[in-house]
Amino acid sequence: MTTLPGRRPRLRDGGLLLGRVGGVPVLLAHSWWLLAAVIVVLYTPLVEMIVPGTSLVVSAIMAGAFAVLLAASVLLHELGHVVVALRLGLPVRRVRLQLLGGAAELMRTPTRPGQEGWVAAAGPAVSVGLAALAGLGLLLVPGGGVLWLLIAQLAVANAAVAVINLLPGLPLDGGRVLRALVWAATGKRMTGTRVAVIGAGVVAAAMIWWAVMGLAGNTPDRWLRLAVCVLMAWFVVLGAGAEMANEQQRTWPVGLTLADLVRPVLQLPAESPVADALDASAGRGVVLVRADGVAAGLLDATAAARLAALSPLAPAERAAEPINAETVILDSEPGEEIIDRVRGTAAWQFLVVDEDGRPAGVLHREDLRDALRRRRG
């Protein structure tokens, strides 16, 4: 993991910025400290049982080490997702370590089942590899001591991360692999999501059952098992619901076309007086073109109105919103990809072009949002 040279970690988006990996920020959420505290409280008595004669202080230190090793295991797991996603051309917004594990947040939804499956499988593959390496390390260290326990903790942490994430329910990696398989078989991502949401219900029920069995059998780890299982079941149920809601929000309504939403486009010289450009727009999208034929950007009506009030003869280019790859939409793009693009890009208008790259219209974020709300309503 890379760090920020010459700078102290700082708070960012509700978490502690630990560093960057491949340009992707790695954050430690405040909720992780709660998880660490729970692990220390519940795991300390187990250390005393596993290594008899260990003092309370040493047991607490070992429990804290387990919490740190678990966080490191989760981080490496998430970096596995990051590496594969970047290799497949899927940008990653950030990685967050939080109360119930971690999350590598993609900026764009995978457009093919293979992308979804490979990215999802990468994390558990890293965890399995780390667990295997730690298992080999146990063979080289005398059993029963503190060093042996630390290595065993590393093996257990990674094995646990791998097993839990491979369970076939969203939002776990196993659920994403299941969705990818169903998506590949049916050609419908929504069908895969529905199946993986059902899997999440089964996973949550199984976790609660396992916790209850621990209580009934009076197992040594019953309270740790109960806390982890209840939290994980809650996480899986809420996550599955969020995945279904997100899938419904990105589904393009039947019968709606991009042509129904785009506004006519007008091309004007970039040096045109901003007041004249604003009057000429009349609700249309305006592409401002420089004398050399290069587009200067799309006229931002709000910025243009402010500029016109102060200096009506100022060049319209001063109120232009830049045009870049993320704000250009091909008129033949699938609807779901258009929704993902609009939702993931910090812009309020998008230039729509035809196959030859000629402007075909301008799509406003609010027009798409209102159309989707009306159709879903």
Side-chain angles (χ1 to χ4, degrees):
M1 181 178 71
T2 59
T3 59
L4 298 180
R7 296 178 62 181
R8 295 178 59 188
R10 61 188 178 87
L11 295 178
R12 178 188 178 95
D13 295 337
L16 186 68
L17 180 61
L18 300 179
R20 294 176 184 271
V21 178
V24 177
V26 177
L27 304 175
L28 185 69
H30 304 311
S31 59
W32 180 85
W33 298 101
L34 175 60
L35 172 65
V38 171
I39 290 176
V40 170
V41 169
L42 297 179
Y43 192 73
T44 297
L46 293 178
V47 175
E48 296 176 310
M49 294 176 59
I50 296 171
V51 184
T54 306
S55 68
L56 178 61
V57 173
V58 173
S59 296
I61 292 174
M62 295 297 293
F66 178 70
V68 173
L69 287 174
L70 181 60
S73 299
V74 171
L75 175 59
L76 292 173
H77 174 103
E78 297 303 330
L79 293 181
H81 294 309
V82 170
V83 170
V84 174
L86 294 178
R87 289 291 299 272
L88 293 176
L90 296 171
V92 181
R93 178 177 290 108
R94 62 183 180 178
V95 172
R96 295 187 79 230
L97 301 181
Q98 49 202 0
L99 176 63
L100 295 175
E105 301 177 10
L106 302 184
M107 295 178 64
R108 213 168 49 230
T109 302
T111 57
R112 297 188 299 275
Q115 289 180 328
E116 174 108 39
W118 285 115
V119 172
V126 171
S127 297
V128 169
L130 292 173
L133 288 175
L136 291 175
L138 289 175
L139 301 177
L140 305 176
V141 177
V146 173
L147 179 59
W148 177 88
L149 182 56
L150 277 174
I151 298 175
Q153 287 174 337
L154 184 60
V156 169
N158 282 282
V161 170
V163 170
I164 291 174
N165 275 278
L166 284 173
L167 296 175
L170 288 170
L172 302 173
D173 296 329
R176 298 187 187 282
V177 171
L178 176 60
R179 173 164 63 186
L181 292 173
V182 176
W183 180 8
T186 63
K188 297 180 179 179
R189 180 183 168 91
M190 176 59 84
T191 301
T193 299
R194 289 195 177 102
V195 171
V197 166
I198 294 172
V202 175
V203 167
M207 287 180 175
I208 297 300
W209 174 83
W210 190 55
V212 171
M213 290 299 100
L215 292 175
N218 202 32
T219 60
D221 66 341
R222 60 189 180 279
W223 298 115
L224 178 61
R225 186 191 300 189
L226 177 65
V228 171
C229 287
V230 169
L231 285 173
M232 284 301 302
W234 172 73
F235 167 76
V236 167
V237 169
L238 288 185
E243 287 282 347
M244 178 58 76
N246 182 67
E247 195 66 26
Q248 291 172 338
Q249 290 174 2
R250 70 178 297 275
T251 300
W252 190 268
V254 177
L256 182 66
T257 66
L258 183 59
D260 297 331
L261 302 177
V262 297
R263 302 187 181 195
V265 62
L266 174 68
Q267 296 190 46
L268 292 175
E271 63 272 14
S272 300
V274 65
D276 293 346
L278 191 60
D279 291 339
S281 64
R284 294 175 291 186
V286 177
V287 178
L288 299 172
V289 183
R290 298 192 181 102
D292 57 4
V294 176
L298 293 171
L299 184 69
D300 184 330
T302 302
R306 288 198 298 265
L307 180 59
L310 298 173
S311 179
L313 298 180
E317 183 176 357
R318 289 174 55 185
E321 187 174 25
I323 299 173
N324 53 51
E326 293 300 319
T327 59
V328 177
I329 296 174
L330 192 63
D331 60 5
S332 58
E333 280 189 51
E336 283 74 16
E337 293 184 20
I338 294 174
I339 293 175
D340 286 340
R341 177 85 66 81
V342 173
R343 289 173 61 187
T345 304
W348 69 275
Q349 59 180 340
F350 298 79
L351 179 63
V352 180
V353 300
D354 61 19
E355 295 288 348
D356 297 322
R358 294 173 302 202
V362 173
L363 174 65
H364 283 199
R365 177 187 295 273
E366 61 185 21
D367 292 343
L368 175 60
R369 181 192 60 209
D370 293 345
L372 295 178
R373 283 179 177 173
R374 286 196 301 270
R375 293 299 180 104
R376 288 165 185 155

